[in-house]
Amino acid sequence: MIVIMLSEACTPADRRRIIDLVQFAGTGLRVHTPELLSLSGDRDAIRALLSDEPCVLDIAKLPAAYPRSARLHGRPDCTPVTLGESSIGGPGFTVVAGPCSVENRSQLLTTAEAVRAAGAHALRAGAFKPRTSPYSFHGLGVPGLRLLAEAREVTGLPVVSECVDVRDIEVMASSVDMIQIGARNMQNYTLLREAGRTRVPVLLKRGLAATLDELLLACEYLLDGGNEQVVLCERGIRTFETSYRFTLDVAAVPVLKERTHLPVIVDPSHAAGAKGRVVPLALAAAAAGADGIILESHHDPATALCDGAQALPVEELPALMERLGHACAAAGRTMRAATPARAR
Amino acid sequence: MIVIMLSEACTPADRRRIIDLVQFAGTGLRVHTPELLSLSGDRDAIRALLSDEPCVLDIAKLPAAYPRSARLHGRPDCTPVTLGESSIGGPGFTVVAGPCSVENRSQLLTTAEAVRAAGAHALRAGAFKPRTSPYSFHGLGVPGLRLLAEAREVTGLPVVSECVDVRDIEVMASSVDMIQIGARNMQNYTLLREAGRTRVPVLLKRGLAATLDELLLACEYLLDGGNEQVVLCERGIRTFETSYRFTLDVAAVPVLKERTHLPVIVDPSHAAGAKGRVVPLALAAAAAGADGIILESHHDPATALCDGAQALPVEELPALMERLGHACAAAGRTMRAATPARAR
Amino acid sequence: MIVIMLSEACTPADRRRIIDLVQFAGTGLRVHTPELLSLSGDRDAIRALLSDEPCVLDIAKLPAAYPRSARLHGRPDCTPVTLGESSIGGPGFTVVAGPCSVENRSQLLTTAEAVRAAGAHALRAGAFKPRTSPYSFHGLGVPGLRLLAEAREVTGLPVVSECVDVRDIEVMASSVDMIQIGARNMQNYTLLREAGRTRVPVLLKRGLAATLDELLLACEYLLDGGNEQVVLCERGIRTFETSYRFTLDVAAVPVLKERTHLPVIVDPSHAAGAKGRVVPLALAAAAAGADGIILESHHDPATALCDGAQALPVEELPALMERLGHACAAAGRTMRAATPARAR
Amino acid sequence: MIVIMLSEACTPADRRRIIDLVQFAGTGLRVHTPELLSLSGDRDAIRALLSDEPCVLDIAKLPAAYPRSARLHGRPDCTPVTLGESSIGGPGFTVVAGPCSVENRSQLLTTAEAVRAAGAHALRAGAFKPRTSPYSFHGLGVPGLRLLAEAREVTGLPVVSECVDVRDIEVMASSVDMIQIGARNMQNYTLLREAGRTRVPVLLKRGLAATLDELLLACEYLLDGGNEQVVLCERGIRTFETSYRFTLDVAAVPVLKERTHLPVIVDPSHAAGAKGRVVPLALAAAAAGADGIILESHHDPATALCDGAQALPVEELPALMERLGHACAAAGRTMRAATPARAR
């Protein structure tokens, strides 16, 4: 991407003439501000063309539409992101598990302890739930965050939870180890901007009709704010097929790995929509080279307040962990070491 | 939808037993809160089944998943929504036109005057712009709102403009005649909740991968807050076709008209992506029975700071208005009377 | 598209070297045969590059990926296609109507007479029906063609009917005025090739997941065989929305009109899936500039052997014709004159 | 699915009355022929309703819309399908590899030998190629089949090749071990019917916009003809994402396994569109529980006459086979034993 910077003295007529000139030499002219033009094309050709224009201050070449997220020459293949005392990205595979939502103390602690005992690495659970209907359960809110803090204290597991309101960013940042920005908010730029101002790791889920480039551009909002701790998450896209809830786009894993240095994980639960399909999708994600998975698990799915149908019973987690080990081996990885039990 | 209300004395064991019972009599059990169950099924059958359960307080039947938006027996076919001194909905067809964004005073006033002179009924222009890239132009902000107020003062046209941040709802509510909630924020429930607390008319655009039922459920957030002034807008969905920007779903017009009493308009500009296709799509929308259109028009599209390619030059508006008259006749409607010029 | 023709004397090593050379000068190298390379790029640059290669016979520039279908400089905007004594394309708007399938003599003749009386211009009805399930009704076959011939004889209406088997092309060509190739067979190249060898006009329907360019390339098979009488038909594409059967892509009309000189019509019935939506979609198609519509109509939809739900009762055709007149006016067209009743 | 059989004495009035009756008791009435009605609903309720109707011969209940493909009570989980002296389905994992098309003797034999040496189980290569453009390479035709026979003779590998023309079914049936019906022909019912009359195993690929139920219904055409040797193949569907060629729907594997007793394999090449993504997708398919994969491999991808970009170089096959072993282990399977080299 070529960016042309104009001086403040640039008149509309100057601007118009420059636009006419560059439209012969480039494509996809996108005018950003009165002081900035951007387009695709050859920088030298554009430079030559505009050499006599006094109000052109500079002609720069950005390495990509998302310069901070892009996997560029000289950058590592994958920049690990902190998750409590552990991390996501690198040779180890990370498993985040837990219920769709925090329902009550006993449900959360029972599930969290089972997640830890199975060898998973972090706990997920929503205190604030975005729901399609205004008449559905929307989460416990701040009391849910307090229960999450307790679960972390008891199990030693770091905690991932979703933020749905820009006004909650501060309380989230002080309560959880990783803030999730969900699929429906992937292009809620206000929320992205504010999360980008914190230094708390962010898990950014792909919108259900977002292209991979749009996901990387949304991510760029976070990085542009100075927060470099971002994990991307494929969670299924919307297609014509109605046999399941969303179409898990497993090819997103290798394609994102080509384009970005940030870790990429997969949520197999929302796409599956039904328990029996979660394990095959989790294994597929690991075999395709994901840095981890985040899945819904519950100690009693039949009574779950949301998404019970797709929750893996916690007693099936140990078998999944073992099978994930084989799938990781296919991808040339190993399972990350488990979080040790807390001494009490 | 059947809703079962439980008493606070309900123990988990009671709750579990009730769930087991209703799962035989209904389908799609969705548990909302510890005090509420909802499912589909026959109310009388469920009532009989639960007659011996002391912790069941009441069993209610909601008329639809979106009871406030639904076109129910006894409701009018279409409830008009106020737009300045005019309205959207009913026998008249409404045209809202204007630039993608407020760029400066002269651009806005020139375009606004041309919009009024062509006989269109309201002015659109963005002061806050949601953009895919963090490096693009994001609008003038509050100064843009002030220019919009001036344009309204000068032309008499009511003003429609987008709100992208829940923290701006108040300033928007005091500045514009209709708040637009854009496609990317259709499921930003925080924003919907706050807009639902105002009494300013809202234009709710369909998300680019939202089903029509999801649009109506998003709308329900607004109505649930007490704001009954909502207009729905089809603006193109995302499909596999790449020949244009989005696929205009013209069938959304008759289908929404079957399901809701709220007015339905169409944005032909974002789907078209190119000027030459805007007029055919606008005419198609009118012929299919839409209550109006909202389109991008600019006095000098080549210099527009955003979406110039799809902006209709203002000098083509009068011919469009005339052709829309024929398309409205096909749908059994007439064009709404123009806003008279302001006496100065 | 640049095409490079190689001599038979070209060795694999020669070919490899040429490929390496052109990959620096062009993009999208698509190797067709050992004697042909094709790619995008600048012909002069490629010519210069290959000037020393003795086994390059010629370097030609095709005007488009679909040179025969493309709307090129010097060609008319729209080439009318014969339909009996009438035609499709040009200033007049054409209406083709009739039942999904030929069921029996009385059904067909009753419907055909009503179609003619309403002022529609041709009769459609399937004798061979492609069906998703092997256990569904698949049409009357050749006896159905005989009934169609009788209906034409009685009403004077030309007849459009679908061919689903390459071995039926001859009998179809001698029985009907226009052979329909349905959406499911749009990329049945065998059928396209054989239909291209006849001189019977062809109605080619867009596949339900075909891009507009793929439709034009499928059309090119017909034209490449020497059959220049082809009408294209938009009939709805498959998307995530499930509120109706297919998403009618009304923007396909102006986009195809930009790209091809062939007539473009719309089938509003299959997308609608329900009677009440057929009229709005038909009007939208006319207003968007289509050259005609083809719709399902039946004298008794409740007993139709297929697609009864989306069939417009014949008694509603006259009102539709009148409303189409207004929609045509919006698009700057007029309704084509009706077929006069046969003197008996 | 309930099927109601009517006597030949049934008058239209009888038929109409019966239809009216069953519409109160069932849903989704689909009338097949004058002698047959089908619908969903409760058989006993419908039987009671029609007890006084003398022209109702019988009321039967079909186990599913696709009774022959469905995984029903009493059937095995997976019915293996013969492939030469080996098979697809059961505990072993099968790898079919080879070039997109047969280009010449040396190319085919070189690649085939490498495929065998790597331990893959069958050879794929097209003699007839369906191509989007009429101006592309369409395969060598019958001489290509002869080269395939020679490759089988030399390597001992069974051969899979695509049939695109119903008139070629016989020559294909006598030349190859498994006839492929490609994605574009999945709903070419003529071809399905004729392939169903042979007893040659068929590989049926999912259409690029076909639902899984439509794939099973297409499969039912084959089984209905008496050919019980059918393997289903997921090969990527068309979605809005343009970062790769098609979206590999890995969830199709567990969902098809729930619904059918037929083997399910995956083609990772066409979805990937680029070499570097083939291996991750192949591993994902194996981990998700597929019975095998079919992939494009070439001894010199840069010179391939079609699909070179997505062909895995044959020298990378051995490493893939090893990694597939791990992915199979994740799914609880093992790699099928390799075809021994031919004694010469």
Side-chain angles (χ1 to χ4, degrees), chain A residues 1 12 15-16 19 23 29-34 36 62 65-68 129-138 164-167 184-185 187-190 193-194 197 208-211 213-214 217-218 220-221 224 238 300 302-306, chain B residues 1 15-16 19 23 29-34 36 62 64-68 129-138 164-167 184-185 187-190 193-194 197 208-211 213-214 217-218 220-221 224 238 300 302-306:
Chain A
M1 193 165 69
R15 208 160 163 278
R16 188 61 211 254
I19 288 172
Q23 278 176 335
L29 177 69
R30 292 177 294 177
V31 184
H32 289 179
T33 72
L36 203 70
L62 288 187
Y66 29 84
R68 291 177 176 84
K129 301 298 305 174
R131 300 301 296 274
T132 305
S133 165
Y135 311 125
S136 299
F137 173 55
H138 284 76
V164 300
D165 188 332
V166 66
R167 299 165 299 188
R184 285 180 256 213
N185 281 312
Q187 293 190 315
N188 180 341
Y189 300 121
T190 304
R193 281 277 183 222
E194 293 300 328
R197 288 197 181 108
L208 54 85
T211 64
D213 277 345
E214 287 171 343
L217 282 161
E220 196 76 6
Y221 274 86
D224 189 46
R238 187 157 265 179
D300 183 12
T303 62
L305 291 183
C306 66
Chain B
M1 192 166 69
R15 209 160 162 278
R16 189 60 212 253
I19 288 172
Q23 278 177 335
L29 178 68
R30 292 177 295 177
V31 184
H32 288 179
T33 72
L36 203 69
L62 289 187
Y66 29 84
R68 292 176 176 84
K129 300 298 306 174
R131 300 301 296 273
T132 306
S133 165
Y135 311 124
S136 299
F137 173 56
H138 284 76
V164 300
D165 188 333
V166 67
R167 298 165 299 188
R184 284 180 257 214
N185 280 313
Q187 293 190 314
N188 180 340
Y189 300 122
T190 305
R193 281 277 183 224
E194 293 299 328
R197 288 197 181 108
L208 55 84
T211 64
D213 277 346
E214 287 171 342
L217 282 162
E220 196 76 5
Y221 274 86
D224 189 46
R238 187 158 266 180
D300 183 12
T303 62
L305 289 183
C306 66

Side-chain angles (χ1 to χ4, degrees), chain A:
Chain A
M1 193 165 69
I2 309 296
V3 176
I4 302 169
M5 276 151 280
L6 306 177
S7 76
E8 286 186 19
C10 190
T11 66
D14 291 336
R15 208 160 163 278
R16 188 61 211 254
R17 185 182 59 249
I18 292 169
I19 288 172
D20 286 348
L21 280 169
V22 297
Q23 278 176 335
F24 283 98
T27 56
L29 177 69
R30 292 177 294 177
V31 184
H32 289 179
T33 72
E35 284 80 36
L36 203 70
L37 307 177
S38 79
L39 74 164
S40 301
D42 177 63
R43 182 167 53 162
D44 291 339
I46 291 167
R47 204 187 282 271
L49 208 66
L50 301 180
S51 58
D52 293 340
E53 292 290 339
C55 56
V56 170
L57 293 183
D58 197 6
I59 300 174
K61 187 170 177 147
L62 288 187
Y66 29 84
R68 291 177 176 84
S69 314
R71 181 171 166 177
L72 300 173
H73 183 70
R75 278 205 184 132
D77 287 357
C78 184
T79 305
V81 168
T82 300
L83 178 56
E85 292 167 32
S86 183
S87 58
I88 298 182
F93 187 85
T94 303
V95 178
V96 182
C100 173
S101 63
V102 182
E103 300 172 13
N104 55 60
R105 188 169 180 277
S106 125
Q107 168 250 15
L108 188 67
L109 294 186
T110 306
T111 300
E113 186 47 46
V115 165
R116 196 208 53 74
H121 309 96
L123 177 69
R124 59 145 290 155
F128 301 96
K129 301 298 305 174
R131 300 301 296 274
T132 305
S133 165
Y135 311 125
S136 299
F137 173 55
H138 284 76
L140 298 183
V142 172
L145 292 179
R146 282 196 290 264
L147 292 176
L148 279 170
E150 184 179 351
R152 174 171 50 184
E153 184 61 29
V154 170
T155 61
L157 293 173
V159 162
V160 181
S161 196
E162 180 167 0
C163 182
V164 300
D165 188 332
V166 66
R167 299 165 299 188
D168 295 334
I169 281 280
E170 266 184 60
V171 65
M172 294 295 299
S174 62
S175 308
V176 303
D177 298 283
M178 184 173 275
I179 293 176
Q180 177 181 314
I181 294 183
R184 285 180 256 213
N185 281 312
M186 191 200 88
Q187 293 190 315
N188 180 341
Y189 300 121
T190 304
L191 191 58
L192 293 171
R193 281 277 183 222
E194 293 300 328
R197 288 197 181 108
T198 73
R199 291 300 172 268
V200 183
V202 174
L203 176 63
L204 179 62
K205 287 192 153 184
R206 181 184 185 187
L208 54 85
T211 64
L212 296 173
D213 277 345
E214 287 171 343
L215 172 59
L216 290 166
L217 282 161
C219 173
E220 196 76 6
Y221 274 86
L222 295 163
L223 274 65
D224 189 46
N227 189 344
E228 298 185 346
Q229 297 278 305
V230 184
V231 174
L232 301 170
C233 182
E234 159 62 28
R235 46 76 74 199
I237 57 174
R238 187 157 265 179
T239 71
F240 63 84
E241 179 60 67
T242 55
S243 294
Y244 39 69
R245 210 164 156 199
F246 297 100
T247 301
L248 189 76
D249 180 9
V250 74
V253 175
V255 174
L256 286 173
K257 290 269 167 198
E258 292 167 15
R259 297 189 187 165
T260 181
H261 62 98
L262 298 169
V264 177
I265 70 171
V266 170
D267 166 0
S269 304
H270 285 82
K275 195 199 88 167
R277 301 160 185 176
V278 172
V279 170
L281 296 185
L283 297 174
D291 292 296
I293 55 168
I294 178 167
L295 87 162
E296 294 189 345
S297 187
H298 197 280
H299 76 293
D300 183 12
T303 62
L305 291 183
C306 66
D307 285 353
Q310 73 202 29
L312 197 74
V314 291
E315 58 269 27
E316 299 184 22
L317 281 175
L320 171 61
M321 294 299 288
E322 191 183 335
R323 296 175 73 178
L324 281 170
H326 291 290
C328 286
R333 290 168 171 280
T334 52
M335 181 65 70
R336 195 176 286 279
T339 304
R342 280 279 157 113
R344 309 233 193 158

Side-chain angles (χ1 to χ4, degrees), chain C residues 31-261:
Chain C
V31 183
H32 289 179
T33 73
E35 286 80 35
L36 203 69
L37 307 177
S38 79
L39 71 165
S40 301
D42 177 62
R43 182 167 54 161
D44 292 338
I46 291 168
R47 203 187 283 271
L49 208 64
L50 301 180
S51 57
D52 293 339
E53 292 290 339
C55 57
V56 169
L57 293 183
D58 198 7
I59 300 174
K61 186 170 176 147
L62 289 187
Y66 30 84
R68 292 176 176 85
S69 313
R71 181 170 167 179
L72 300 172
H73 182 70
R75 279 205 183 131
D77 287 357
C78 185
T79 305
V81 168
T82 300
L83 178 55
E85 292 167 30
S86 183
S87 60
I88 298 180
F93 187 85
T94 303
V95 178
V96 182
C100 173
S101 65
V102 182
E103 298 172 13
N104 56 59
R105 189 170 180 275
S106 125
Q107 169 250 13
L108 188 66
L109 295 187
T110 306
T111 300
E113 187 46 47
V115 165
R116 194 209 54 74
H121 309 96
L123 178 68
R124 60 145 291 157
F128 302 96
K129 300 299 305 174
R131 299 301 296 275
T132 306
S133 165
Y135 310 124
S136 298
F137 173 57
H138 285 75
L140 298 183
V142 171
L145 292 179
R146 282 197 290 266
L147 291 176
L148 278 171
E150 185 180 349
R152 173 172 51 186
E153 184 60 30
V154 171
T155 60
L157 293 174
V159 162
V160 181
S161 197
E162 180 167 359
C163 182
V164 300
D165 189 333
V166 67
R167 298 165 300 189
D168 295 334
I169 280 281
E170 265 185 59
V171 66
M172 293 296 298
S174 64
S175 307
V176 303
D177 299 282
M178 183 172 276
I179 293 176
Q180 177 181 316
I181 294 183
R184 285 179 256 214
N185 281 312
M186 190 201 88
Q187 293 190 314
N188 181 341
Y189 301 122
T190 305
L191 191 59
L192 293 171
R193 281 276 184 223
E194 292 300 328
R197 288 196 181 106
T198 73
R199 292 299 172 267
V200 183
V202 174
L203 176 63
L204 179 62
K205 286 192 155 183
R206 180 183 186 186
L208 55 84
T211 63
L212 296 173
D213 278 345
E214 287 171 343
L215 172 60
L216 290 166
L217 282 161
C219 172
E220 196 76 6
Y221 274 85
L222 295 163
L223 273 65
D224 189 46
N227 189 344
E228 298 185 346
Q229 298 278 305
V230 184
V231 174
L232 301 170
C233 181
E234 159 62 27
R235 46 76 74 199
I237 57 175
R238 189 157 265 179
T239 71
F240 63 83
E241 179 59 68
T242 56
S243 295
Y244 39 69
R245 214 166 153 196
F246 296 102
T247 300
L248 189 76
D249 181 8
V250 75
V253 174
V255 174
L256 286 172
K257 289 271 167 198
E258 292 167 15
R259 297 189 186 166
T260 181
H261 61 99

